[in-house]
Amino acid sequence: MQSNKFDVVIIGGGPAGMLAAGAAGSIGKNVLLIEKNEKLGKKLFITGKGRCNVTNNIDINEFYQYIPRNPKFLYSSFNMFSNSDLLMLLESLGLKTKDERGGRVFPQSDKSSDVIKALNKYLLQNKVSILLDTSVIKINAEDGKIVSVQLNDNSLIYCDSVVISTGGMTYPQTGSTGDGYKLARDLGHTITDISPSLVPLLVKEDIIKDLQGLSLKNVSISVSANDKVIHKDFGEMLFTHYGLSGPIILSSSFYIADHLKKKELIKISIDLKSALSTEDLDKRIIKDFEKNSRKQYKNSLDELLPKKLIPVIINLSSINEDKEVNQISKEERIRLVNLLKNLEFTIIGTRPISEAIVTSGGVNIKEITPKTMESKIVSGLFFAGEILDVDAFTGGFNLQIAFSTGYNAGINS
C-alpha cells in the first residue's frame, strides 16, 4: 500500500462493503476496503446453499412487506439503488442471472463464486485498494469527525470517512463476530438487542427424531402463543433431529422471538394437506380405505403420506396399526383427518445465533440519517448492511438491503 491516507475506509468486505467501496470509487474517491479474512465475500459464498440468492425480482415497492423490522428506514436506499439497478450492474460486470420460484434471483451458473468475481471486478474498475487479513480495532474521531482507523498491528490509516459494514453475529466462521458493534458503541452509538432471526426452531416432542431429514412442500403452518395465533404461512419446511427448519419455519422465527423471551407457550400446527378441506380430506381417506379395504392400517397410507411420516402418524392417531382399514370406525377416521390437518409441536427455543441466516437487532437506526446512511453522532461515519437494526425474510431481501445500503453509504461517504 503506497499511502496511509484515503478519502474513505470501508470496514468489512461482504456484499454491503463491496458495494460501498465500488460506489465510492465510482465518484472518484480514493477508497480502501479492509477485510479481516483472507478473501472478500466469504459469507456471500455460502448464501443460498452456495448458489447466492442475490435479490428478488418483485417491484421494489413491494419489498417492504417482506421486511418486518424497520422497513421505512430503507426507502431512500431502495430508491437510490433498487433491485433492477443491482441486476443492471451485475449484468454490466458479466454476470448472467435467472429468476426462480417466488421471484428469487440467482446467478445463471448457480455459483456464488461468480457473484463474488463480478463484485471484485467492480472494485477493480473503480480503483479500490484492498487490504486482506487485517482487522480494525478502533476508529478515531476528533471534534465529532472521523480522522483515522487503527489496525490490529496498531498502525493508523488516515481518512475522512469510514463505512462500517462488518455484518452481524451469524456464521461466525465467516468472520461475522460482532466486531462492528464494538466499533459503533465506542463512538457513542446504541446497539439494540441482538438475537437470531431466520433461525431453525427447537421442539419439545421426541417424535421429531423419527422425522429427521423429511422435507415437505405445499404445507400450511399456524403459530400460536398462549393459544393466540400470531403467524400463518404456506410453503416448504424441513424436519431436523432437533426440530424444524426450511423457509416457512425460518420466517416464523421472527414472530416467535419475543414470545419466547416472555416464556409463553408456543405451538406450531402443520396442515399436511392444506390443499384439501377437512371434508374433502375425509372423502379422500374414505376412498383410499375402500380401495385398500383388506389391508392393515399400517399399509394403507402409502398414497397419502411420505414413507417417513406414516409410522409417526399411525402412532399419534392411536389406531391399532394391524387393524384392517374396513374395521376402522368413523370416530377413528375423523381423528386421523384432524391429525393430518393439525400436526402440532411445542416450540421451546431456537438454534443459536451462529446458525441464524441474519441477525435481528444492531445499530439503532434513529442514530443514522436514512438518506445518506451517515451517523447523526459522528460526522463521516456511515453504516451499511446487517450491522443495522433492519432484517427481512428469506428470498433475496436481506442481500438487497446489504447492496442498497452499501451503495447509499458509498456514494455519500
Side-chain angles (χ1 to χ4, degrees), residues 362-385:
V363 178
N364 192 328
I365 57 158
K366 290 176 182 173
E367 300 167 356
I368 302 166
T369 304
K371 281 189 175 178
T372 60
M373 307 307 294
E374 187 172 15
S375 164
K376 293 177 181 177
I377 296 168
V378 180
S379 177
L381 178 65
F382 297 79
F383 296 94

Side-chain angles (χ1 to χ4, degrees), residues 36 38 114 143-144 149 164 177 245 268 331 346 387 401 413:
K36 71 176 182 181
E38 73 285 358
D114 287 344
D143 300 322
V149 299
I164 304 180
T177 49
S245 189
I268 188 161
E331 183 190 336
T346 310
I387 191 169
I401 290 171
S413 63

